[in-house]
Amino acid sequence: MHYDVFNGDADGICALLQLRLSQPRESTLISGVKRDIQLLQQVDVEKAQSVTVLDISMEKNQPALAQLLANDIAVFYCDHHRSGEVPESKYLQAIIDLAPETCTSLLINQHLQGQFAHWAIAGAFGDNLFGPAQQLANQCALSHEQTEFLKELGTLINYNGYGASLADLTFEPTQLFEKLLSYSDPLSMMVLDDSPFTELQAAYKQDSQLVGELKPSFQDSACRVYELPCEAWARRISGVFGNQLANQNAQLAHGVITLNSSGNDYTVSVRAPLNNRIGADDVCCQFATGGGRKAAAGINQLPKAEVSTFIDTLSNYYKHLGANHVS
């Protein structure tokens, strides 16, 4: 039995779409909401013969990975998040690149030598890598209209991955992957009125109207922080909203904190400044449930009592980084 294990956001889905369009195979799909990254432990070691892992931190899945390799199970692992020490094993093929200007979809595109580059472009746009996505679109000689469509598609797939549980999402990620697998070229959805794109577009439009009136709860010369309520629409929009804020002001870091259902803590999304895409993981990893990558990271459960500490940490980090960057 083969398992495909992937992040439920645009990057994870678009990476797997490229692989399975190029190398079709029957597999058991394992995914979840974007913050559900300790997915490898869901693989049944007794049944697995091989495993593909895409866009989830190796650092957060080290015990499960070690168990698979110890049982002589072949693992193909491609990711751009914090990896920890990469195991040495003849059963592991790893493509790990922590550079802030890449993502798993772009790494798979390189691995497949551009075979399904349009899906890689959508994945990169969804991961807020507008520069690399535009560069690849130019290499593919896409029109402005085609590029803008892939940008919106990637944003919508990414939007679909955010939520406290699968019930918050428009599509369960494995379901969305299976729907999108019908389209070898995502541009074919441009002329269709009935597709996952149109369904996600309608849901996103409704949620966007609710977030449009928000003002920062904190701002200074280094960062802005927004607080969202404990509502399903807020959980769905939080990640894409963070990307939008980052694109609106490339000089600032941004934090989006969304109240969890417990009422006692927040889910946090952090975006590093676009003009210096580092440090988001360093900020978030200072808190118990934090993790991510240099350009974008998060905290799953930030206690209310630690909100002011988080804001101080975010602000001080980027003030210091900005001073060093200028010098």
Side-chain angles (χ1 to χ4, degrees), residues 11 14-16 18-19 54 76 78 95 102-121 124 132 135-137 139-140:
D11 194 23
C14 290
L16 185 58
Q18 293 174 77
L19 269 182
L54 300 171
F76 173 80
C78 184
I95 302 174
T102 195
C103 63
T104 308
S105 288
L106 293 176
L107 295 174
I108 293 296
N109 179 63
Q110 294 170 6
H111 177 65
L112 297 177
Q113 299 181 326
Q115 193 174 0
F116 294 96
H118 294 174
W119 277 116
I121 294 167
Q135 185 178 24
L136 184 54
Q139 292 173 12
C140 293

Side-chain angles (χ1 to χ4, degrees), residues 1-5 20 25-30 40 42-53 68 71-76:
M1 180 181 292
H2 180 79
Y3 286 84
D4 283 326
V5 184
R20 290 296 156 254
R25 68 185 305 175
E26 290 187 11
S27 66
T28 297
L29 302 176
I30 295 177
L40 209 52
Q42 296 182 33
V43 173
D44 189 333
V45 178
E46 299 298 323
K47 296 180 179 179
Q49 295 176 313
S50 57
V51 182
T52 293
V53 191
L68 291 172
N71 282 272
D72 299 345
I73 296 168
V75 178
F76 173 80

Side-chain angles (χ1 to χ4, degrees), residues 5-321:
V5 184
F6 60 101
N7 197 311
D9 68 355
D11 194 23
I13 290 175
C14 290
L16 185 58
L17 284 167
Q18 293 174 77
L19 269 182
R20 290 296 156 254
L21 287 167
S22 175
Q23 304 162 8
R25 68 185 305 175
E26 290 187 11
S27 66
T28 297
L29 302 176
I30 295 177
S31 190
V33 297
K34 181 177 173 66
R35 293 300 180 90
D36 189 1
I37 58 173
Q38 291 180 305
L39 296 171
L40 209 52
Q41 61 192 8
Q42 296 182 33
V43 173
D44 189 333
V45 178
E46 299 298 323
K47 296 180 179 179
Q49 295 176 313
S50 57
V51 182
T52 293
V53 191
L54 300 171
D55 200 41
I56 60 172
S57 167
M58 185 180 286
E59 183 178 62
K60 298 291 187 179
N61 288 274
Q62 287 278 10
L65 176 60
Q67 186 180 22
L68 291 172
L69 298 176
N71 282 272
D72 299 345
I73 296 168
V75 178
F76 173 80
Y77 207 123
C78 184
D79 187 46
H80 65 127
H81 299 88
R82 294 168 71 110
S83 62
E85 185 175 351
V86 179
E88 292 187 10
S89 170
K90 66 180 181 179
Y91 295 102
L92 176 64
Q93 180 184 359
I95 302 174
I96 305 294
D97 189 338
L98 308 186
E101 292 296 317
T102 195
C103 63
T104 308
S105 288
L106 293 176
L107 295 174
I108 293 296
N109 179 63
Q110 294 170 6
H111 177 65
L112 297 177
Q113 299 181 326
Q115 193 174 0
F116 294 96
H118 294 174
W119 277 116
I121 294 167
F125 272 127
D127 221 34
N128 207 39
L129 292 175
F130 282 20
Q134 183 65 59
Q135 185 178 24
L136 184 54
N138 293 342
Q139 292 173 12
C140 293
L142 297 185
S143 68
H144 176 74
E145 182 184 16
Q146 290 172 322
T147 302
E148 287 300 306
F149 176 82
L150 294 180
K151 180 189 295 185
E152 184 175 5
L153 175 62
T155 298
L156 292 174
I157 298 173
N158 210 49
Y159 151 78
N160 183 76
Y162 282 88
S165 68
L166 294 175
D168 285 338
L169 310 186
T170 304
F171 294 108
E172 194 274 324
T174 59
Q175 178 190 28
L176 182 56
F177 164 77
E178 290 175 327
K179 285 179 175 288
L180 293 173
L181 193 59
S182 301
Y183 305 90
S184 60
D185 186 346
L187 293 175
S188 64
M189 283 185 275
M190 289 181 69
V191 296
L192 299 175
D193 294 328
D194 183 17
S195 73
F197 173 84
T198 54
E199 292 184 62
L200 288 172
Q201 189 182 49
Y204 178 67
K205 181 178 180 181
Q206 186 174 5
D207 288 349
S208 294
Q209 292 172 346
L210 295 170
V211 81
E213 300 299 320
L214 289 177
K215 303 295 182 185
S217 58
F218 174 86
Q219 59 182 340
D220 64 8
S221 61
C223 69
R224 290 189 296 182
V225 177
Y226 287 76
E227 182 175 345
L228 274 62
C230 181
E231 300 286 349
W233 67 264
R235 294 189 289 270
R236 287 192 296 265
I237 203 74
S238 60
V240 173
F241 181 51
N243 290 345
Q244 290 176 340
L245 294 171
N247 289 316
Q248 289 169 6
N249 193 324
Q251 309 298 320
L252 297 180
H254 289 86
V256 177
I257 66 173
T258 307
L259 185 64
N260 291 330
S261 58
S262 67
N264 299 319
D265 50 37
Y266 292 87
T267 296
V268 180
S269 293
V270 171
R271 300 293 181 267
L274 287 189
N275 67 351
N276 196 14
R277 298 170 65 100
I278 60 173
D281 54 344
D282 291 334
V283 170
C284 291
C285 284
Q286 295 182 47
F287 299 87
T289 58
R293 53 190 173 87
K294 296 178 184 298
I299 306 166
N300 288 340
Q301 292 176 298
L302 179 72
K304 279 187 170 182
E306 295 182 26
V307 169
S308 60
T309 303
F310 162 71
I311 292 174
D312 288 343
T313 302
L314 182 69
S315 176
N316 291 335
Y317 183 95
Y318 285 104
K319 281 180 180 176
H320 179 74
L321 188 67

